[in-house]
Amino acid sequence: QKEVEQNSGPLSVPEGAIASLNCTYSDRVSQSFFWYRQYSGKSPELIMSIYSNGDKEDGRFTAQLNKASQYVSLLIRDSQPSDSATYLCAGNFGNEKLTFGTGTRLTIIP
Amino acid sequence: KAGVTQTPRYLIKTRGQQVTLSCSPISGHRSVSWYQQTPGQGLQFLFEYFSETQRNKGNFPGRFSGRQFSNSRSEMNVSTLELGDSALYLCASRTGTGTSPLHFGNGTRLTVT
């Protein structure tokens, strides 16, 4: 069973600070990872894709992938109240199915 | 480009009934996946279809079934509804390759009474 694990939180971060979300996975055969943001009552929205080791930046978001240590993280700089949501990590492990973590609930405190 | 469209948005059914949910993927996407989301269980994978064939299946009972049409549109059917089937059902599409991300529709909120 290829699993993706996340700390369910809640994670509280002051406005303007850096929010750090982490995800670990249990299988080394990974090809790609994705971060989704889900507001309460809404569907998940893709915010980042990362396919190779290292960092990938997009605006205030940075995704980090370390295949040797089997973790992927998402950093949100200059956190805003609108970033308050549940963040889901998902990975593709060689088959065609995307496996999701249970999500981390993030709250940005004004 | 239009996103993933799911219909209906809300459904209320009674136990024992059956229900059919519909999903139209993003144009050009050949893969459609279905997920069930509940507060306690998170996102649970139901199945994925690619070119009208079921490519992957999750651990749900046979009451849950799906199909995909030649235009990539997909339907999901749940028969003999149970109270525990109350959930948000999400459809997602992607181009078809295993490394491509999923793009979700707005979901269908099913309530079973």
Side-chain angles (χ1 to χ4, degrees):
Chain A
Q1 178 76 21
K2 302 173 180 65
E3 294 188 7
V4 174
E5 296 189 15
Q6 296 181 255
N7 187 325
S8 62
L11 175 66
S12 296
V13 173
E15 183 176 356
I18 295 175
S20 177
L21 304 160
N22 299 305
C23 173
T24 59
Y25 57 94
S26 61
D27 192 287
R28 288 186 175 273
V29 183
S30 61
Q31 295 185 359
S32 50
F33 289 89
F34 310 97
W35 282 99
Y36 289 82
R37 177 177 62 199
Q38 186 173 24
Y39 293 114
S40 180
K42 303 294 185 182
S43 62
E45 171 194 11
L46 177 69
I47 54 173
M48 289 288 283
S49 303
I50 187 164
Y51 299 93
S52 55
N53 276 325
D55 295 0
K56 179 182 177 183
E57 188 174 317
D58 184 1
R60 296 186 298 111
F61 298 97
T62 299
Q64 300 173 319
L65 175 58
N66 185 320
K67 292 188 178 182
S69 300
Q70 296 179 211
Y71 80 80
V72 57
S73 62
L74 180 71
L75 301 177
I76 306 174
R77 292 181 298 282
D78 188 23
S79 296
Q80 302 296 310
S82 60
D83 295 327
S84 296
T86 296
Y87 289 81
L88 298 161
C89 170
N92 168 273
F93 298 99
N95 60 16
E96 304 296 341
K97 188 182 77 169
L98 218 55
T99 301
F100 282 84
T102 53
T104 298
R105 188 155 55 95
L106 173 66
T107 300
I108 306 301
I109 304 168
Chain B
K1 186 181 276 191
V4 178
T5 303
Q6 288 188 249
T7 56
R9 290 295 309 278
Y10 303 94
L11 267 178
I12 300 175
K13 293 286 188 178
T14 57
R15 279 182 301 176
Q17 288 186 314
Q18 75 166 18
V19 66
T20 299
L21 312 182
S22 181
C23 174
S24 293
I26 292 171
S27 177
H29 286 192
R30 297 169 63 191
S31 165
V32 173
S33 297
W34 289 89
Y35 288 81
Q36 180 196 67
Q37 189 174 39
T38 57
Q41 298 295 319
L43 268 175
Q44 300 292 309
F45 174 74
L46 282 155
F47 27 66
E48 180 183 17
Y49 287 87
F50 177 78
S51 293
E52 302 179 67
T53 301
Q54 188 178 83
R55 185 158 70 175
N56 272 297
K57 188 178 189 303
N59 297 321
F60 278 80
R63 300 186 297 107
F64 292 81
S65 63
R67 59 178 176 169
Q68 187 181 33
F69 302 96
S70 58
N71 60 0
S72 294
R73 193 177 67 84
S74 177
E75 288 182 347
M76 189 191 89
N77 184 275
V78 187
S79 63
T80 319
L81 284 166
E82 300 177 359
L83 295 179
D85 296 333
S86 295
L88 178 66
Y89 289 88
L90 291 161
C91 169
S93 73
R94 56 180 172 174
T95 56
T97 64
T99 59
S100 58
L102 291 172
H103 299 271
F104 286 87
N106 289 327
T108 294
R109 174 76 61 183
L110 172 64
T111 302
V112 182
T113 62

